[in-house]
Amino acid sequence: MKQLNIFMPLVAGLTTLSFNAIALDVRAELDRDSRLYTLSWHAEKPVSIVASGELNSSTSIVVGEQLGNTIKTIEWQAPKQDRYTFTFTEQDGEQAVTRSRLLNLEGGRNFRDLGGYETREGKTVKWGKLYRSGALHNLKAQDYALLEELAIQTVVDFRGNSERDNEQTQWQAGDINHMTWDYQLEFDGAAFKEMIMAGRVSEQDMEHAMASMYPGLLNQQKPHYKAMFAELASNDTPLLFHCTAGKDRTGVAAALILHALGVEKEVIMADYVLSEQILRPEDLMGKQDASKEQDPAMAMFARLPKPAIGALMGTRESYLNAAFDEMIAQSGSIDAFIREELGVSDAQIQQLKTNLLY
């Protein structure tokens, strides 16, 4: 059954990150647990809201009609799993269209659409062209039914060999160009183990350790980021890039793409830290099962205090800033890093903007 709840939120509690920057401001968010959509808007006149899905785009669902003309929020329970587009229409006919950033996938891990972000030039990143995610091994049949409608043509997998072996992707949403690399992730587990054994397990210590890891992560992923940009510039079809958690290697990749498209740094950072709001420790560590032997590294991390686990599994601004600082140290600016270290020409940047912005 569909559920519709209407309430008035505090204006100070709203974020403009997902709003369309026009007179009719709208936002759609999906709660990963309840599968409730929260729809928000700011309009001068009453609005009506219609939802349409990817699986049955010919059918529209009226979510609400002639709803209040001040900032309002409603909660809506979708009748079935789908990727919904929400059209808000003001009384005078003005319209705004938006989607939830998080996809409604039962087996998804931090699976998000990068569409809807505005650039400094007043353009907008197209919905349905760029997706970011964590590992795909838990996707269900109904998830793949939805993904097939998204027509993803390329999957860029930043994971190393052992990661791909441990959580194998069994793609079932059409033929794809599956980009992988023969390498092992360089991770200084000894440094983390030494820190934990020495008792330095505060949230601040873990934040410092994570930020210190990002320059090395950036450098190891350079050839992979370079190949991803080349694919984006040469192909105007939907692309998904992912790693294991969908937050570190994937987070830097998303930041690089959004920067190349001209998105402001504060918006890029907001997209990066969003992973911490979506992911939970059990998504990566798994739920404890007394009958099974736990991975030693995960067992070690599981014994950390909760604030330290939060920093380990999180996406703090200092982490991405450490990657940005490394880019600037190497090339003088992020733009120069993209050109010189990732081999993306000015012509390719323009092609990216043509392909991915409207």
Side-chain angles (χ1 to χ4, degrees):
M1 289 210 38
K2 290 178 286 184
Q3 178 179 333
L4 180 66
N5 297 322
I6 302 179
F7 57 92
M8 177 73 75
L10 293 174
V11 175
L14 290 177
T15 173
T16 59
L17 174 63
S18 300
F19 281 95
N20 294 334
I22 56 177
L24 176 57
D25 290 338
V26 300
R27 179 178 65 188
E29 295 178 341
L30 172 67
D31 182 81
R32 58 169 282 183
D33 294 321
S34 67
R35 301 297 173 183
L36 277 172
Y37 287 90
T38 300
L39 309 177
S40 305
W41 68 95
H42 185 193
E44 298 298 325
K45 301 174 183 177
V47 301
S48 297
I49 307 171
V50 173
S52 58
E54 294 281 350
L55 294 175
N56 191 359
S57 58
S58 63
T59 302
S60 296
I61 304 170
V62 177
V63 176
E65 295 184 288
Q66 298 300 305
L67 302 172
N69 59 357
T70 57
I71 294 180
K72 285 276 178 67
T73 297
I74 62 173
E75 289 182 343
W76 180 69
Q77 182 71 65
K80 63 179 181 179
Q81 181 185 10
D82 206 335
R83 179 79 197 284
Y84 288 96
T85 298
F86 298 94
T87 301
F88 294 69
T89 304
E90 251 189 335
Q91 200 171 45
D92 62 2
E94 181 179 1
Q95 289 189 332
V97 178
T98 193
R99 297 175 176 177
S100 67
R101 197 159 297 289
L102 181 67
L103 269 67
N104 186 12
L105 301 174
E106 183 181 343
R109 180 185 287 174
N110 198 14
F111 201 120
R112 314 200 315 251
D113 192 326
L114 279 178
Y117 290 130
E118 289 220 344
T119 72
R120 289 184 293 272
E121 299 171 345
K123 300 285 188 178
T124 302
V125 180
K126 294 177 181 177
W127 291 102
K129 299 289 281 189
L130 286 170
Y131 298 95
R132 53 170 296 175
S133 179
L136 309 173
H137 64 294
N138 277 332
L139 291 173
K140 314 300 183 186
Q142 61 267 33
D143 296 331
Y144 275 116
L146 175 54
L147 290 176
E148 191 164 12
E149 294 299 315
L150 305 184
I152 292 169
Q153 298 297 302
T154 300
V155 175
V156 182
D157 188 343
F158 296 128
R159 297 177 301 164
N161 298 341
S162 60
E163 295 172 282
R164 294 197 307 274
D165 289 342
N166 291 337
E167 296 180 330
Q168 295 185 15
T169 299
Q170 303 291 337
W171 189 259
Q172 301 168 35
D175 294 335
I176 56 168
N177 172 23
H178 196 184
M179 299 175 64
T180 63
W181 292 271
D182 181 13
Y183 87 105
Q184 291 291 354
L185 178 65
E186 294 175 2
F187 176 72
D188 191 2
F192 279 86
K193 184 176 181 180
E194 180 182 351
M195 178 182 67
I196 293 169
M197 296 301 292
R200 301 194 310 273
V201 290
S202 70
E203 181 177 15
Q204 293 74 22
D205 287 330
M206 187 59 72
E207 284 184 359
H208 176 74
M210 287 294 295
S212 298
M213 181 187 74
Y214 264 60
L217 178 150
L218 171 69
N219 288 320
Q220 188 179 33
Q221 296 301 313
K222 274 184 190 179
H224 311 157
Y225 294 154
K226 182 176 182 177
M228 175 191 68
F229 269 105
E231 179 67 19
L232 284 170
S234 64
N235 205 330
D236 188 22
T237 56
L239 179 144
L240 163 66
F241 56 96
H242 77 98
C243 55
T244 293
K247 71 182 188 74
D248 299 312
R249 288 162 288 183
T250 294
V252 174
L256 285 165
I257 294 170
L258 292 176
H259 181 90
L261 293 175
V263 176
E264 294 282 5
K265 182 180 178 181
E266 58 266 27
V267 178
I268 295 172
M269 189 62 74
D271 180 80
Y272 171 76
V273 301
L274 183 59
S275 289
E276 187 160 348
Q277 301 176 35
I278 296 171
L279 287 170
R280 300 195 181 101
E282 58 266 26
D283 293 331
L284 305 179
M285 293 182 174
K287 296 180 179 179
Q288 292 187 359
D289 186 342
S291 66
K292 295 182 179 180
E293 184 177 352
Q294 191 175 19
D295 177 84
M298 290 298 102
M300 178 178 66
F301 289 138
R303 291 193 293 269
L304 291 169
K306 285 187 177 180
I309 293 177
L312 174 69
M313 300 298 175
T315 45
R316 309 293 165 88
E317 291 190 13
S318 61
Y319 307 170
L320 185 56
N321 279 329
F324 286 152
D325 290 345
E326 179 68 10
M327 296 177 203
I328 294 168
Q330 290 186 29
S331 304
S333 69
I334 301 172
D335 290 313
F337 178 87
I338 292 172
R339 288 196 307 270
E340 297 167 6
E341 298 298 321
L342 304 184
V344 186
S345 68
D346 290 341
Q348 286 177 311
I349 293 292
Q350 289 305 313
Q351 189 61 52
L352 283 175
K353 291 180 178 180
T354 298
N355 293 347
L356 299 175
L357 301 178
Y358 66 86

